[in-house]
Amino acid sequence: MPEAFAPLTLALRGAQWPEALGALADPPAELYVRGAWPSGPCVAIVGARASTEYGRTFAHRLAADLAGLGVVIVSGLARGIDAAAHLGALDAGGATIAVLPGSLDRITPPSHAELAQRIVGSSGALVAEWERDVHVTRGLFLERNRLIAGLSLATVVVEAAHRSGALATAAIARKLGRPVLAVPGDIDRPSSRGCNALLRAGALWCEGARDVLDALGPVALAPHAAARNPANDAIAAAAGEPRAGEAPRVCAAAKESMASDAARVAAILDAEPRELGAVSRRAGLTPERVLAALLELQWSGVAATHPGPRWSAGRDDGAPHGARGAR
């Protein structure tokens, strides 16, 4: 096991769980965490291991856009879509949680040990139901999937075969009464069949971050949604650090007056990166409307995102969003 994984491992029990897990019919007796539990509303992005370049690129871009708005990306560290989602969040300077199918000391797949190390070193977390010495079996992947759905306020399936673990995660999320979104795909592509079946069954259409924000609704803006998560306090106390303050605020994309809001926000942006509150005050608009406008401006190249998250005028300094690294 890499040295970076040797420090603090924390067991969360009962009241220390992330609140969203309380809705599971079979919650774990305890959770083992390595890293820093991120503050913010969690969204799962899952999909096929045997993914296409299109699917990985979309997952990376969606995760980057959401992470730039303060959303925590949850996935399973698997090859393909999962890895692209984790990388998208990390490349955007955001936070991500990787849920492992066995124990915390066994990175699955082993080829993603470097990605796991990067998550731990970037204000993210590895999570498992067992601390050590549990070998991964097929059944444990299904157990892992329920945790991914249970931790997340919404689940997005990017690519999936007709029978897949991603569809199992979506089914659990639906039972929990949480939004399930699917990315439409080519009807002749096997990796699109699962998503297209979800859409026929009533899943929400997903073409980008605005669709996810719409699905989350006002719950994503409420400070209590993640600001004082018991898991954050438990990890901070064990590490001898102060408790986390208010989480980044995220909102549903406002549909009314989008064009005028975007013009108003663009007029007050300059070279200095500013947090949402500062942009909101300068524009004289609510945070909800400002976030929707910023997302629109980001796509058009008028606004750039920075870690924090913060925004300025101009395009991002980095390369365009795309799926890079682990597969």
Side-chain angles (χ1 to χ4, degrees), residues 143-271:
E143 295 292 308
R144 183 271 308 276
N145 291 344
R146 92 188 194 286
L147 295 183
I148 293 175
L151 287 168
S152 306
L153 298 181
T155 295
V156 183
V157 182
V158 176
E159 285 186 327
H162 192 61
R163 297 182 63 183
S164 69
L167 295 188
T169 305
I172 296 167
R174 178 168 288 172
K175 286 182 180 179
L176 293 174
R178 297 175 187 171
V180 174
L181 298 92
V183 178
D186 295 345
I187 59 174
D188 295 327
R189 183 181 296 163
S191 61
S192 298
R193 290 173 184 166
C195 287
N196 292 340
L198 284 174
L199 291 168
R200 285 196 300 271
L204 300 173
W205 190 280
C206 183
E207 292 183 349
R210 286 186 62 185
D211 293 322
V212 180
L213 297 179
D214 281 337
L216 287 175
V219 67
L221 182 62
H224 70 268
R228 293 300 298 275
N229 194 316
N232 298 336
D233 293 344
I235 292 173
E241 299 173 353
R243 294 181 175 185
E246 183 175 349
R249 306 179 93 189
V250 181
C251 67
K255 293 182 179 179
E256 297 181 0
S257 306
M258 188 61 211
S260 60
D261 285 357
R264 193 165 176 174
V265 172
I268 61 91
L269 289 176
D270 54 29

Side-chain angles (χ1 to χ4, degrees), residues 26-323:
D26 55 344
E30 53 192 5
L31 273 182
Y32 289 90
V33 179
R34 186 163 291 130
W37 196 278
S39 289
C42 293
V43 168
I45 299 178
V46 295
R49 292 176 176 81
S51 57
T52 65
E53 183 65 26
Y54 162 80
R56 292 190 296 272
T57 299
F58 182 91
H60 186 283
R61 186 186 71 197
L62 178 65
D65 288 344
L66 290 171
L69 296 173
V71 174
V72 178
I73 304 302
V74 181
S75 200
L77 201 70
R79 297 181 180 90
I81 299 302
D82 288 19
H86 290 305
L87 286 166
L90 294 171
D91 289 346
T96 184
I97 295 173
V99 186
L100 304 180
S103 51
L104 205 55
D105 64 334
R106 297 181 185 274
I107 303 302
T108 304
S111 59
H112 283 180
E114 184 177 343
L115 175 57
Q117 185 169 348
R118 185 178 170 190
I119 290 171
V120 171
S122 304
S123 300
L126 304 180
V127 179
E129 284 194 62
W130 298 273
E131 183 177 9
R132 59 182 68 255
D133 301 328
V134 173
H135 293 274
V136 177
T137 62
R138 184 174 182 177
L140 291 183
F141 284 97
L142 293 176
E143 295 292 308
R144 183 271 308 276
N145 291 344
R146 92 188 194 286
L147 295 183
I148 293 175
L151 287 168
S152 306
L153 298 181
T155 295
V156 183
V157 182
V158 176
E159 285 186 327
H162 192 61
R163 297 182 63 183
S164 69
L167 295 188
T169 305
I172 296 167
R174 178 168 288 172
K175 286 182 180 179
L176 293 174
R178 297 175 187 171
V180 174
L181 298 92
V183 178
D186 295 345
I187 59 174
D188 295 327
R189 183 181 296 163
S191 61
S192 298
R193 290 173 184 166
C195 287
N196 292 340
L198 284 174
L199 291 168
R200 285 196 300 271
L204 300 173
W205 190 280
C206 183
E207 292 183 349
R210 286 186 62 185
D211 293 322
V212 180
L213 297 179
D214 281 337
L216 287 175
V219 67
L221 182 62
H224 70 268
R228 293 300 298 275
N229 194 316
N232 298 336
D233 293 344
I235 292 173
E241 299 173 353
R243 294 181 175 185
E246 183 175 349
R249 306 179 93 189
V250 181
C251 67
K255 293 182 179 179
E256 297 181 0
S257 306
M258 188 61 211
S260 60
D261 285 357
R264 193 165 176 174
V265 172
I268 61 91
L269 289 176
D270 54 29
E272 180 183 351
R274 291 183 172 86
E275 295 181 348
L276 175 62
V279 177
S280 177
R281 288 190 295 273
R282 285 169 64 91
L285 297 171
T286 64
E288 294 96 328
R289 294 170 65 178
V290 168
L291 267 175
L294 284 168
L295 187 58
E296 196 84 4
L297 294 171
Q298 180 184 339
W299 276 102
S300 63
V302 176
T305 59
H306 306 269
R310 296 172 298 156
W311 289 267
S312 70
R315 294 183 178 274
D316 294 327
D317 293 333
H321 293 163

